[in-house]
Amino acid sequence: TGERMRQSARDAWEAICNRPKRYIPRDLREQISHAIIRQDKPISQLLQEISAATTQEWLPDKLQTLATDIVWLAGSLEQNAGSVLTQLEKRLGYCQFLQESSGFPQTGAGYAASVQAFMQYAQDKGSLTTFLAHIRTLSKSQTGKSGNGQRDAVALTTIHQAKGLEWSLVCVP
């Protein structure tokens, strides 16, 4: 339904609007979030309209760049996933963002290496659309979970992530 699509677009907006940091003020992020639900327009079009109406000097360029990136990505869905993700990382400077914003150099380097490995994994998985379907399938068949309930499995996690979860047996190495 249209309502579900708008909610999905709003969730996507909230996930990407400030990652990497674009310094979009909270009130403006919320304004855009509400506009996505109320109006039946693509996010890129909303960003361009709001960019034209904003009075802050530095903000229109950031909104325009984000709108351009969204349009570019939408037009790249049938291209090779690895190439698209590599180009997207370069456009966003995402690995550099992770290295600079992760607190510790080793943590940031680890996050950036994970992104690089993900892009490498995508290289031979077909188009971006095909790759995303593949990722959804992997997510649904994640170890320890199935569509019909639980099955016997081992889950490796941090103590922090395990907090509050119930298991019959827990081993802490």
Side-chain angles (χ1 to χ4, degrees), residues 35-156:
I36 290 168
I37 294 295
R38 288 190 316 270
Q39 300 177 24
D40 196 19
K41 294 180 182 177
I43 293 173
S44 57
Q45 184 178 347
L46 285 170
L47 291 173
Q48 291 170 343
E49 290 172 4
I50 291 171
S51 170
T54 190
T55 58
Q56 296 173 332
E57 258 181 50
W58 54 272
L59 192 54
D61 287 342
K62 294 200 178 288
L63 295 175
Q64 286 289 348
T65 299
L66 181 55
T68 301
D69 288 342
I70 291 170
V71 170
W72 170 81
L73 187 58
S76 302
L77 293 175
E78 296 309 317
Q79 295 178 15
N80 176 274
S83 297
V84 172
L85 292 175
T86 300
Q87 291 174 46
L88 181 62
E89 190 285 321
K90 286 180 183 170
R91 290 174 85 112
L92 299 178
Y94 195 60
C95 286
Q96 181 178 348
F97 162 75
L98 291 172
Q99 290 173 340
E100 293 172 357
S101 67
S102 297
F104 296 103
Q106 300 87 345
T107 304
Y111 290 157
S114 293
V115 170
Q116 295 290 340
F118 185 71
M119 291 185 301
Q120 185 63 36
Y121 177 73
Q123 278 304 334
D124 62 349
K125 301 295 188 263
S127 71
L128 187 57
T129 302
T130 304
F131 179 65
L132 291 173
H134 171 71
I135 294 298
R136 278 191 290 278
T137 301
L138 287 177
S139 178
K140 287 179 185 175
S141 65
Q142 179 184 7
T143 302
K145 298 181 179 162
S146 68
N148 302 352
Q150 296 289 339
R151 63 180 188 229
D152 289 340
V154 173
L156 298 177

